[in-house]
Amino acid sequence: MGLTEKEAAAKLRNEGENVLSESRRAGPAKIFIGQFRDVMVMILLGATVVSILLGEVTDAVTIILIVLINAVLGFIQEYRTEHTLEALRSMTSPTAKCYRDGKLCEIDASKLVTEDVIEIEAGDRIPADCAVLYAAGFFADEAILTGESTAVPKSAGIPGDADNSLNKPNIVYCGTSATKGTCRAKVIATGKRTQMGKISEMLTDIDNDMTPLQKRLAELGKAVAVICLLVCGAVFAAGVLRGEKVFDMLMTGITIAIAAIPEGLPATVTIALALAVNRMLKQKALVNKLHSVETLGCTSVICSDKTGTITENKMTVTELCDAEGTYYFSGMGYRMSGAVTKGKENTPVSLASEKALAEVLRCGTICSTAVIAAGKNTKDSPRSRGEWTVTGDPTEAALLVAAAKLGITKASLEAAYRKTDEYPFDSETRFMAVHTASPDGDRTFFKGAAEVILPRCSYYLDRQGNKQPLTAELRREFTERVEDMSERALRVLAMAELATETMQPEIGGLTFLGLAGMTDPPREEAREAIRKCAAASVKTVMITGDHKNTAAAVAKKAGLLRGGKAMTGAELDKLSDEELDRVIDKYTVFARVEPAHKLRIVRSFKRRGEIVTMTGDGVNDAPAVKEADVGVAMGVTGTDVTKQAADVILLDDDLATLVNAVEQGRCVYANIRKFVRYLLSCNIGEVLTMFLGIVMGMPVVLLPVQVLLVNLVTDGLPAIALGLEPPESGIMKRPPRRSDEGFFSGGLMWKIVFRGVFIGLSTLASFSAVMHMGGSVEAGRTAALITLVTSQLIHVFECRSETRSLFRRDIFSNVKLMAAVIVSAGVLAAAVTLPQLRVIFETVSLTQGQLCAALVSSAAVPLLSAVTVGIKRKND
């Protein structure tokens, strides 16, 4: 049996080791260097070189520190995202029980080759794709590959079958787990030829595109570069035409161009994103990639896995029926709480009067290999969440949880019902049986498919627990109930018993006990999250490996099928990419899909211009999660592969957390627009002040050291505090912005230029007013410095909203912004009052009249701006 060591060695040389393909990983150094490829950062590095050449070492040091802080923050966030394939490798079984030279031995799983024969038992991780040769009650959990929520029975197939396609009953797959029984199998695929290996190949083929924000900041950086060159050229030309020295004007032009660069912008964006990451972490969302925060905000389609994301991934008995009626069970998943009622009247149930119901639950408890326990009440444990700790088959666990709601447990039955024999579930017979000895006599309990159990029944139990003949009419009624449950996507199990001294699994004459209908229910939180997404004009699409009817039923309960359709993977295969792009918007459910299908779906939405967020938990989700604009993994049920392929991890597996993350993303983008508006307006004001002063023949209005002070005071704390603005009301009632929407859409550029011109003119007015009062050039510069900084600090409050003026907002609603403005104003006051700082910044003391002129000029700007906004709103 199996191969000889010599044959295995030869095959190993030809096939290679049973490991997943190596990825071309970016090392720490490469990731760090990548932080400097941003256009704006490159401009800043160029400005650093120019500053050093001009002798402005202080400017150079300041800029380089800003760039380094930005790079370090980006590096920390991105370094954790480069381990996806390493997690895939760790999921392959480290050892395997294999026949070599006719003997069963344990070898390193990486040494397995095709035609090796291995043994697998419950609890083992399957080391390669294998064809089943023999199986005894063997089940495999394939949820990580197929999304199937229940363990799948496996049995021997056609000898020599080497096709490892998904969803085959005679194939076990690498990386999945054995949940029950034993199995002997022949290896048919190893390494990258396994289904797990194919997913690994998909991950290496996916490129990491720039996020919408990165694209827009790159465009902004290019625009700033052009503006800097134009400013430098214009100042140089104006000065030379006035007869100034060529070298002096060249240096002046370069100095003003450097002042035009919003050097605080990259760091402010990074800090705003990092602070948003911290807020999201407190809300149970862990961000792997910094810029994904903003991308979440423009999500227009959420492609969600069903199992464990929209549903609980915990089978739940929702109804049970016997000859006396139907009983309904509340409490989803493995929750300890829950009530049991009877009929449409929801009458509370008592086992004392419902003996037939007690027998059904007793049968489901005894005829089970699963175990539920309260467990330890530790942080984040199932018990702390009010849930049972479950071991074993999810279907059997669902029956145990249902029985426990009425006080029937394995522990309470062990003394009275001693198990003497067991007939394990088999995929061919489709039932299991357990023989017990009890004071009431020996009995065999049966549990299995209704179409197998019901035909073998001759009797049923009435309400008092008495055996009655099963008439043709009752048999037809039970058959109709099975069909009704199945049409509602419930998994149906029938239970029966037989008084017999020995185990006789194939015998007839059974007594029918009842039917249990169970489902993997939608999460309550998921329903609410889907509703909120719809309100925010975000389309939610469910993608699953389950059957079409099951998927459609779950989608309907979750609120996903309103006007949408369902499509299977087979139907998807019949469509070309162009055909899929034309019809994909009509579908909200995709069933029986494989990993490649998920990738096609995500790519189709992206080709239509949608910003796609993909949620998932299994290995089968990982390629699509990585391909999406934002990949979201489940933190509790998710595999390591999916977590590390994802941009965001939901630590509580709650879709409501994703909705909060989308809101944070929208808020972050809105805040970035606010401080970009602020920074650019301020810089335009500074450049116009210097440029128009030279053109008008004035002395240099602000010295380089004073320009540096302005940038340090206004570009730092106030801009960062703007990034902490809370979401404006109604932010989740608006549709997401389009992927092709410009950063300055909605008239933002007009607001920036308009306000920047006002700031520049008011500063020049302040300088001129003081000079006309007979003040010195130093006094004029001091007044201009006060006006420029004060008008910018007032402007920061205007930037808090794009739709409401300064006087229609509560200025105290952002305490951090107030604190930042007070600190900045304090620095300005110190620079113009403290003798030591006056020497450094070349400021002087002002008279009351001069100070009044500077402050009036500052106040005039917001007043003019408010009047303009009011007129525009009235005309609109």
Side-chain angles (χ1 to χ4, degrees), residues 134-152:
Y134 163 80
F138 187 77
F139 283 73
D141 180 357
E142 298 179 351
I144 62 171
L145 273 179
T146 66
E148 183 69 52
S149 56
T150 57
V152 180

Side-chain angles (χ1 to χ4, degrees), residues 220 265 672-680 743-744 752:
L220 177 60
L265 181 58
I672 289 173
R673 277 174 60 97
K674 290 172 186 176
F675 60 65
V676 166
R677 172 189 174 187
Y678 171 67
L679 289 172
L680 292 186
F743 185 83
F744 298 102
I752 290 171

